[in-house]
């Protein structure tokens, strides 16, 4: 069995990707510093797949710890690198924390990947790199715009670091996956999104409001130039997103990549407004949601949804779940963790 390292593997997208890797027969080792994830996620993964992944609690900002790990695990066939801080608002308030945590860790891991026999690297990037793209749907050739936040900047710089390293290391093969908006949870409701504190993202705020943890959802602006005045995003089921990582990894393991640095948009290709997401939730849950219209949120782009042709045709992957599927899975997860069923 090929051994795959998943950094940040106890996080929302990381844990779902570990499940899909184990389902495909890979031997997974997780590194996580538990700064934004619970050790209990290992139990959830194990209950789903019947396989308990290897786990090491490591702070990837400690260069020596990273070196020591790779000395022990020099038989790794591929690395999927999720480990990063990802709260846009927090990154504005604490830029150095984000540059240190998101970039130093990438550099230390990448240095070790270069020394592996097979240097295959999948990078967790984001549609944030496009800022407010001029054309919808957004293609991978859309210009990378000045980042709207230090978080977004770390994804842009991260891609540049990998690209420049690939240019002078032919043995390094990398793919950057530019996520749109990951939502939902595994159908078992044993793993899912568990934001710490007040959720910054729309869908966990919706499900926590419906669960009674939050009083009311604020819709940040309804006077945007869109059909119903609210912002439009491409909400992709986290399991579809996880499967994209397995397909991307297999592309590198089978040396099917056309260059040693590739980027793919990973979305559904469908744009949904905030009000449409709320309507979807109310339909699948049978509950009406308490929400109000509030002022716009600083830094929000009006529209962002993916042109998925490249991922469909070249990667051979496409999203299967609808917005309703994803919202129902998010609600089932919320009900499970709050013992509401
Ligand atoms: C979606 C829409 C809000 C909360 C961010 C990051 C991106 C990625 C996904 C990591 C927007 C509106 C939200 C609320 C609301 N993260 N909203 N009330 O901002 O598109 O993307 O998360 O990779 O990098 O930028 O996601 O869920 O925060 O917002 O009205 O309480 O929901 O204004 O229009 P976003 P989001």
């Amino acid at each position: 069995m090929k051994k795959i390292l998943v950094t940040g593997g106890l996080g929302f997208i990381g844990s779902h990707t570990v499940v899909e890797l184990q389902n495909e027969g890979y031997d997974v080792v997780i590194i996580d510093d538990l700064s934004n994830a619970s050790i209990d996620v290992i139990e959830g993964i194990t209950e789903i797949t019947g396989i308990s992944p290897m786990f090491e609690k490591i702070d990837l900002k400690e260069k020596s710890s990273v070196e020591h790990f790779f000395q022990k695990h020099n038989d790794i066939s591929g690395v999927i690198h999720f480990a990063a801080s990802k709260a846009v608002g927090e990154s504005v308030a604490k830029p150095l924390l984000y540059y240190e945590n998101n970039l130093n860790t990438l550099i230390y891991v990448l240095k070790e990947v270069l020394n592996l026999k097979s240097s295959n690297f999948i990078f967790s990037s984001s549609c944030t790199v496009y800022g407010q793209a001029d054309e919808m749907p957004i293609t991978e050739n859309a210009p990378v715009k000045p980042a709207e936040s230090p978080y977004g900047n770390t994804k842009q710089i991260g891609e540049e670091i990998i690209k420049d390293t690939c240019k002078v290391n032919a043995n390094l093969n990398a793919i950057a996956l530019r996520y749109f908006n990951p939502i939902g949870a595994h159908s078992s409701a044993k793993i899912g999104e568990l934001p710490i504190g007040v959720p910054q993202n729309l869908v966990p705020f919706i499900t926590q409001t419906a669960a009674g943890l939050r009083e009311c959802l604020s819709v940040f602006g309804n006077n945007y130039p869109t059909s119903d005045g609210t912002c439009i995003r491409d909400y992709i089921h986290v399991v579809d997103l996880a499967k994209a990582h397995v397909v991307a990894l297999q592309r590198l393991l089978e040396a099917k990549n056309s260059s040693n640095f590739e980027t793919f948009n990973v979305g559904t290709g469908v744009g949904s407004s905030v009000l449409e997401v709320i309507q979807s939730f109310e339909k699948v849950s049978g509950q009406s949601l308490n929400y109000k219209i509030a002022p716009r949120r600083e830094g929000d782009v009006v529209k962002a949804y993916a042109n998925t042709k490249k991922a469909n045709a070249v990667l051979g992957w496409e999203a299967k779940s609808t917005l309703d599927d994803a919202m129902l899975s998010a609600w089932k997860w919320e009900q499970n963790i709050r013992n509401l069923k």
Side-chain angles (χ1 to χ4, degrees):
M1 277 200 290
K2 290 188 184 300
K3 184 191 279 190
I4 306 299
L5 166 62
V6 180
T7 72
L10 295 185
F12 174 38
I13 307 167
S15 56
H16 285 84
T17 301
V18 169
V19 164
E20 298 308 322
L21 285 167
Q22 290 186 328
N23 289 343
E24 288 295 312
Y26 291 102
D27 179 20
V28 178
V29 52
I30 293 171
I31 288 178
D32 204 297
D33 67 358
L34 300 179
S35 63
N36 194 24
S38 161
I39 189 78
D40 298 340
V41 172
I42 293 180
E43 186 185 339
I45 293 170
T46 308
E47 283 177 15
I48 294 169
T49 64
I51 308 162
S52 185
M54 286 179 278
F55 168 70
E56 294 204 24
K57 182 178 182 293
I58 294 175
D59 179 349
L60 295 173
K61 295 194 294 295
E62 291 169 9
K63 191 165 182 283
S64 58
S65 302
V66 178
E67 290 166 347
H68 181 65
F69 173 86
F70 278 90
Q71 280 156 13
K72 266 195 316 184
H73 295 274
N74 57 12
D75 56 343
I76 285 169
S77 298
V79 176
I80 304 182
H81 185 59
F82 291 103
S85 301
K86 59 149 210 157
V88 172
E90 184 186 46
S91 77
V92 175
K94 302 176 182 172
L96 281 181
L97 183 145
Y98 271 69
Y99 288 116
E100 182 186 33
N101 192 43
N102 292 8
L103 297 179
N104 288 11
T105 56
L106 169 64
I107 292 165
Y108 297 156
V109 170
L110 213 42
K111 278 182 157 183
E112 298 307 317
V113 170
L114 289 177
N115 300 329
L116 294 171
K117 279 191 286 297
S118 60
S119 307
N120 300 302
F121 191 75
I122 307 291
F123 180 60
S124 167
S125 190
S126 169
C127 61
T128 307
V129 302
Y130 299 115
Q132 177 53 75
D134 301 323
E135 286 181 39
M136 292 295 137
I138 304 172
T139 69
E140 287 82 355
N141 304 321
V144 170
K145 290 200 173 172
E148 310 258 341
S149 68
Y151 161 76
N153 208 17
T154 66
K155 291 302 178 185
Q156 290 182 1
I157 299 168
E159 287 195 13
E160 292 302 314
I161 290 171
I162 298 162
K163 189 158 59 174
D164 289 344
T165 307
C166 286
K167 276 182 194 151
V168 291
N169 292 278
N171 68 312
L172 174 62
N173 292 289
I175 289 176
L177 296 179
R178 293 172 175 171
Y179 311 157
F180 281 69
N181 287 55
I183 63 168
H186 189 268
S187 56
S188 66
K190 292 185 187 302
I191 55 174
E193 188 171 12
L194 199 54
I196 294 173
V198 179
Q200 298 305 302
N201 294 131
L202 177 66
V203 172
F205 205 109
I206 287 176
T207 56
Q208 287 192 14
T209 300
L213 278 78
R214 308 288 160 204
E215 178 61 35
C216 174
L217 168 76
S218 294
V219 173
F220 296 142
N222 71 341
N223 58 355
Y224 285 97
T226 63
S227 53
D228 63 17
T230 63
C231 295
I232 291 175
R233 296 289 185 277
D234 183 331
Y235 296 95
I236 175 171
H237 196 300
V238 65
V239 174
D240 280 329
L241 178 58
K243 289 178 174 173
H245 289 78
V246 179
V247 173
L249 177 71
Q250 282 162 341
R251 179 177 173 83
L252 297 185
L253 291 173
E254 293 161 14
K256 289 184 175 164
N257 46 323
S258 50
S259 75
N260 72 334
F261 180 71
E262 296 176 307
T263 60
F264 293 94
N265 286 343
V266 186
T268 65
V270 175
S272 301
S273 74
V274 175
L275 292 179
E276 285 169 337
V277 174
I278 293 170
Q279 285 147 21
S280 170
F281 175 78
E282 293 185 326
K283 180 171 73 173
V284 300
S285 67
Q287 289 197 198
S288 67
L289 188 78
N290 185 22
Y291 70 91
K292 66 184 178 193
I293 304 301
R296 292 183 174 190
R297 179 174 68 174
E298 189 67 31
D300 271 334
V301 298
V302 185
K303 289 182 187 174
Y305 54 95
N307 179 316
T308 61
K309 287 192 175 65
K310 187 180 173 190
N312 303 152
V314 177
L315 201 49
W317 165 92
E318 65 176 329
K320 304 285 190 202
S321 296
T322 64
L323 177 64
D324 287 354
D325 298 332
M327 292 307 291
L328 180 57
S329 70
W331 179 227
K332 285 183 174 172
W333 159 249
E334 188 73 52
Q335 289 176 300
N336 187 35
I337 54 176
R338 313 294 174 196
N339 301 314
L340 293 177
K341 271 195 266 195

